[in-house]
Amino acid sequence: MFPVLKIDDLQTHFFTRTGIAKAIDGVGFHIDKGEIVCVVGESGCGKSMTALSVLRLVPHPGRIVGGEIWLDGQNLMAFSEREMREVRGDRVSMIFQEPMVSLNPAFTIGNQLIEAVRVHRKASRAEAWERSVEMLRRVDLPSPEARMNAYPHELSGGMRQRVMIAEALLLDPVLLLADEPTTALDVTVQAQVLDVMVRAARESGTAVMMITHNLAVVSEIADRVVVMYAGRVVEQGTTEEIFTRPAHPYTQGLLRAIPTLSTAAEDDAPRQPLYEMGGLVPSLTDLPPGCAFCPRCSAAIDLCAAQKPPAFPLGETHAAACWLRRTEG
Amino acid sequence: MLAYFLKRTVLMVPTLLLVALMVFLLVHLIPGDPAIVMVGAEADPAAIENIRRSLGLDQPLPIQFIDWFGRLLSGDFGKSITSGIPVLETILERFPTTLVLTTLAMLFSVAIAIPSGVLAAKFRNTGKDYLFMLVSLIGVSVPGFWLGLMGLLVFSVQLGWFPSSGYVPVWQDFWQGLNYMTLPSITLGFFMAAVVARMTRSSMLEVMRLEYVTHARAKGLSEWTVLLKHALKNAFAPTLTTIGIQYGMLLGGAVVTETVFGLPGLGRFVVQSIYGRDYPAVQGCILFIALVYMFVNLAVDVLYKVFDPRVKF
Ligand SMILES: Nc1ncnc2c1ncn2[C@@H]1O[C@H](COP(=O)(O)OP(=O)(O)OP(=O)(O)O)[C@@H](O)[C@H]1O
Ligand SMILES: [Mg+2]
């Protein structure tokens, strides 16, 4: 069995006037069939670019300069542009962060859904319409038939994101790339929309690569977690491993930064200040030779500044790129 | 929608009053006296004074204006001083030629501009794009009359592709008429083509950065579908506004083009009327052109909603 997605030493760089920004600098992880893998990390660490690299849609002036991306055992890097078009939207689909701007304001919902079906399937307009309405119903969009004739601006943010989810799952893809699908929504609808997405993906057996800032969401939906920092994977493991035995100082810092339920609830207890990691993310055009987290790391040793740490396995599914976790052999 | 249309039409009246006032003042500011133009500078002063009185030119300017505008509101454009023919009659007789000329010019320029703007955006910052930018820069810099004369010289005189004089209206003989109109409308439309193409390019580039374009690609659509369907429809809305504004430039440019190519349109009539200090004719024509321009822009605004459904009336 091949994993649905396997990324190996991916390098995506941006060739800007001020230099080469290594937005992705050797990312590697995999996603198994039907699995939900959450990718977490600070803003700018390369989460979106990882997703866009999988579709080979990295925007100018960015370019994939190295590494391999395998979909179901097929090397996407070897695909022609034409073959990639057949992958996009059919076998791999993507949900974007901002439902306000990711649907085309000039076309109706129906137009955009029907188009999504008909690029890949030989279906009449009526069949595509049927299928779209069916899918809108599955994501709990109220009165789906009427919504087909609506323009995006006539829907609320939550409804638009439901439309995006419906579109992404229309053709039962093997992989869904969800780039912070609920970040832009009202807190009250975030949970519902997330719930709908996870349920619909599970129903169609679609594996999900879910990008998020929200660790509460991660603990709720993820099977496994990939932690990124400055264009690299610093740690990955099952949700349990990451939350109970975080191995990388950066992951530990991230976890300390979430307000736990207990501190929030106990109003009488002296409020613990939210943990904040000191220091700044290094510039991606000028990464230090060693570990990118080293300048902010309180546990750093001499080796950290000098040499890039490889991923050290800590178990069957758990690995951390940290010199402190160096395993012999 | 209908309410909006009516509201805009009503709002035209104050605009029209303003335009009328400006036209009136400008025309009367032109040095020279229609009476003298009519009878010659050496004529008997008493005779000149007689004519002035018969034309109402001896009245104070405000009275003349109120008199003229009052009759205008009831649809009376007055009579030409030089020919005595009602001005509106001449306008309606000559305007179709100008309308055909400007419409063809607009069609030509849009047909050239949209594809080249889209291509330039697709190939942004490459040699093809730079070439486009250069040509369009020349397009906006070259004066219309020079382009017209060059066109005549090369394509009519040297190559003999088009007639260099004479005129047949398209409504009498379509193909023959088109033959006479081709060179003038290309000349007239060239400037607009350059402007609209640059606008198309920049609004395409604007739109192509947006997430829904990436989304369209992520659906597996071909690059052409992404550009021509998803990007262009959105990019066209601001372009449409430019086209509306540019149509006014065409109406103005028609004056030069009609003169260079000897077309019996409204523009040339305006020029002749200015020479003759034919106040009612000049004022009537300019006001009429302003009215046409206002309606074109109203049409553009209504059409805008087709390309941007978010617009509310
Ligand atoms: N158009 C661009 N030009 C230059 N560099 C870019 C461009 N787009 C992205 N990058 C680089 O890629 C890096 C990663 O961007 P990416 O969008 O993947 O971050 P992200 O992890 O998704 O952040 P966020 O959480 O804010 O969405 C950025 O820090 C930036 O250096
Ligand atoms: Mg992002």
Side-chain angles (χ1 to χ4, degrees):
Chain A
M1 263 308 273
F2 294 109
V4 166
L5 177 72
K6 187 168 185 317
I7 299 177
D8 230 356
D9 195 27
L10 180 67
Q11 311 260 358
T12 299
H13 297 176
F14 279 83
F15 297 84
T16 65
R17 272 196 208 97
T18 50
I20 300 173
K22 297 183 175 175
I24 300 176
D25 187 24
V27 161
F29 63 90
H30 75 277
I31 300 178
D32 283 322
K33 192 173 181 336
E35 208 180 16
I36 297 183
V37 172
C38 282
V39 177
V40 297
E42 275 164 312
S43 188
C45 71
K47 304 181 298 291
S48 299
M49 289 310 140
T50 305
L52 287 172
S53 296
V54 171
L55 289 173
R56 294 214 350 230
L57 284 177
V58 177
H60 184 82
R63 203 151 29 89
I64 301 176
V65 291
E68 286 171 356
I69 299 170
W70 298 82
L71 182 73
D72 265 338
Q74 288 175 299
N75 183 2
L76 292 187
M77 298 307 294
F79 274 28
S80 67
E81 177 56 27
R82 212 199 136 81
E83 289 168 320
M84 273 316 292
R85 281 213 307 272
E86 283 163 15
V87 170
R88 295 178 195 136
D90 188 354
R91 293 168 64 193
V92 181
S93 57
M94 181 154 176
I95 301 177
F96 294 83
Q97 180 167 353
E98 284 279 350
M100 302 291 168
V101 290
S102 56
L103 287 167
N104 193 325
F107 295 97
T108 59
I109 303 298
N111 183 313
Q112 300 185 52
L113 289 175
I114 287 170
E115 177 185 47
V117 175
R118 304 216 324 160
V119 211
H120 296 294
R121 299 279 188 276
K122 279 198 170 53
S124 69
R125 288 193 69 80
E127 285 162 355
W129 176 281
E130 277 302 309
R131 193 180 183 126
S132 305
V133 170
E134 177 55 35
M135 200 62 218
L136 288 179
R137 198 168 282 127
R138 257 178 69 193
V139 296
D140 295 338
L141 190 77
S143 44
E145 275 99 354
R147 301 284 185 240
M148 289 288 279
N149 292 319
Y151 284 95
H153 72 274
E154 294 165 331
L155 306 185
S156 70
M159 292 203 267
R160 276 185 253 197
Q161 207 59 315
R162 282 169 204 267
V163 170
M164 282 295 290
I165 294 168
E167 191 199 287
L169 294 173
L170 260 178
L171 303 177
D172 291 330
V174 290
L175 177 65
L176 171 64
L177 308 168
D179 190 354
E180 308 197 35
T182 60
T183 310
L185 302 180
D186 277 353
V187 187
T188 45
V189 292
Q190 281 188 4
Q192 297 166 17
V193 170
L194 194 68
D195 194 52
V196 158
M197 186 190 86
V198 170
R199 182 163 47 79
R202 293 261 194 236
E203 276 170 19
S204 49
T206 300
V208 182
M209 170 177 153
M210 163 93 175
I211 295 169
T212 181
H213 282 293
N214 190 336
L215 289 172
V217 166
V218 175
S219 68
E220 220 166 283
I221 68 167
D223 297 315
R224 279 189 307 113
V225 184
V226 173
V227 184
M228 284 183 67
Y229 187 82
R232 297 172 193 164
V233 173
V234 291
E235 182 168 2
Q236 54 180 313
T238 64
T239 309
E240 207 226 325
E241 283 160 348
I242 295 294
F243 277 85
T244 59
R245 292 186 300 280
H248 196 285
Y250 177 65
T251 317
Q252 291 162 359
L254 271 187
L255 289 172
R256 232 171 302 156
I258 27 173
T260 57
L261 260 180
S262 55
T263 51
E266 288 164 32
D267 260 354
D268 303 334
R271 218 171 265 265
Q272 261 189 309
L274 253 171
Y275 177 86
E276 267 196 44
M277 254 177 277
L280 285 172
V281 187
S283 156
L284 296 178
T285 50
D286 190 21
L287 285 174
C291 171
F293 188 60
C294 175
R296 295 169 76 183
C297 186
S298 52
I301 54 174
D302 287 349
L303 188 55
C304 299
Q307 218 176 328
K308 205 159 100 178
F312 294 110
L314 303 169
E316 194 107 318
T317 48
H318 197 180
C322 176
W323 285 118
L324 302 173
R325 299 286 159 180
R326 176 164 34 164
T327 36
E328 303 305 324
Chain B
M1 175 74 200
L2 189 68
Y4 173 78
F5 206 83
L6 286 177
K7 194 176 94 193
R8 283 281 303 261
T9 314
V10 170
L11 278 175
M12 280 183 193
V13 176
T15 317
L16 218 52
L17 175 65
L18 217 64
V19 174
L21 187 62
M22 283 181 32
V23 169
F24 181 84
L25 286 177
L26 279 175
V27 167
H28 284 80
L29 277 175
I30 305 174
D33 185 326
I36 297 177
V37 175
M38 279 171 79
V39 293
E42 295 82 30
D44 178 15
I48 292 176
E49 200 45 44
N50 247 339
I51 293 175
R52 287 181 61 93
R53 195 168 314 124
S54 70
L55 295 174
L57 294 173
D58 55 337
Q59 302 282 332
L61 274 187
I63 303 285
Q64 284 188 45
F65 176 73
I66 292 170
D67 192 41
W68 172 64
F69 195 73
R71 270 184 283 143
L72 205 62
L73 284 181
S74 60
D76 180 5
F77 278 63
K79 286 198 177 78
S80 158
I81 294 179
T82 34
S83 66
I85 299 170
V87 172
L88 191 59
E89 201 172 290
T90 314
I91 290 177
L92 293 181
E93 184 191 307
R94 288 190 158 234
F95 182 62
T97 299
T98 304
L99 185 67
V100 170
L101 174 67
T102 50
T103 306
L104 283 177
M106 190 176 71
L107 290 180
F108 160 76
S109 64
V110 170
I112 295 283
I114 303 286
S116 46
V118 169
L119 285 173
K122 178 169 163 56
F123 297 109
R124 68 190 162 283
N125 300 329
T126 65
K128 287 174 198 161
D129 184 25
Y130 295 141
L131 180 70
F132 160 84
M133 293 297 279
L134 184 70
V135 172
S136 67
L137 192 68
I138 295 173
V140 292
S141 325
V142 169
F145 74 90
W146 184 84
L147 201 64
L149 289 174
M150 283 301 138
L152 267 179
L153 205 64
V154 176
F155 296 105
S156 301
V157 179
Q158 294 287 329
L159 297 171
W161 291 358
F162 301 106
S164 54
S165 64
Y167 174 68
V168 177
V170 283
W171 52 90
Q172 268 173 28
D173 180 339
F174 185 75
W175 293 112
Q176 188 66 18
L178 210 56
N179 208 20
Y180 279 101
M181 278 298 192
T182 308
L183 211 46
S185 31
I186 290 178
T187 314
L188 180 57
F190 199 72
F191 174 84
M192 177 169 170
V195 175
V196 174
R198 291 169 82 89
M199 186 67 200
T200 307
R201 174 183 180 274
S202 69
S203 52
M204 280 294 284
L205 287 180
E206 190 84 5
V207 164
M208 280 159 67
R209 291 187 297 111
L210 298 179
E211 201 158 68
Y212 60 76
V213 173
T214 311
H215 172 205
R217 292 198 181 102
K219 285 165 112 167
L221 300 171
S222 73
E223 190 60 18
W224 285 116
T225 312
V226 172
L227 288 181
L228 296 181
K229 180 180 171 183
H230 288 269
L232 184 57
K233 190 169 175 197
N234 284 281
F236 196 68
T239 310
L240 190 66
T241 307
T242 310
I243 292 175
I245 294 167
Q246 285 300 313
Y247 189 73
M249 305 290 280
L250 288 188
L251 287 169
V255 173
V256 174
T257 311
E258 286 170 12
T259 308
V260 170
F261 289 93
L263 301 175
L266 201 55
R268 200 153 65 116
F269 178 62
V270 173
V271 175
Q272 289 162 357
S273 303
I274 291 174
Y275 283 138
R277 300 293 181 273
D278 194 338
Y279 294 164
V282 177
Q283 290 166 189
C285 287
I286 295 181
L287 210 60
F288 183 81
I289 289 173
L291 199 64
V292 170
Y293 182 54
M294 282 184 232
F295 269 107
V296 167
N297 274 286
L298 175 56
V300 161
D301 288 351
V302 170
L303 210 60
Y304 198 96
K305 193 177 168 63
V306 175
F307 296 95
D308 190 349
R310 286 168 297 187
V311 174
K312 284 208 177 60
F313 290 141

